[in-house]
Amino acid sequence: MTIQRFDCGLRMSEMVVHNGTVYLCGQIADFEAMGGVTHDVTAQTRDVLRQIDVLLERAGTDKSRLLTATVYLADMAGFAAMNAAWDAWVDRANAPARATVEAKLADPDLLVEIQVIAAL
């Protein structure tokens, strides 16, 4: 079976496609695209979801085909703010299985990281 890897680095690939499934690495806010660091969970979540849409489209699928999502929050106090952006974005007719956990993220300015798996 063919394995396609996208935007490979030394440690990881941005996206891997195998056997009809798309695996994204954890997506974080792009502060440069956002015009600088923002300490707003909703804004960071919106940016992450925008990036997920771009990657899924590149793979030939979309959010209606999500299977699972794992949301990592730097602080669970941001849960409602993250959900505000998530609820506006998610395909409610095809919501994925989802887990949300509090985690220490790689950069203290990061408030949210989301990793998804989707079907083609």
Side-chain angles (χ1 to χ4, degrees), residues 59-83:
T61 191
D62 62 44
K63 65 186 172 188
S64 73
R65 308 276 295 157
L66 289 181
L67 301 171
T68 67
T70 304
V71 179
Y72 302 95
L73 290 175
D75 187 334
M76 285 304 281
F79 187 70
M82 178 278 300
N83 274 328

Side-chain angles (χ1 to χ4, degrees), residues 41-43 45-50 53 63-64 66 79-93 95-96 98 114:
V41 175
T42 303
T45 303
R46 282 186 193 125
D47 185 66
V48 168
L49 297 173
R50 175 194 60 79
D53 281 335
K63 65 186 172 188
S64 73
L66 289 181
F79 187 70
M82 178 278 300
N83 274 328
W86 176 272
D87 291 346
W89 174 82
V90 73
D91 180 338
R92 290 177 183 239
R98 188 187 99 175
I114 302 175

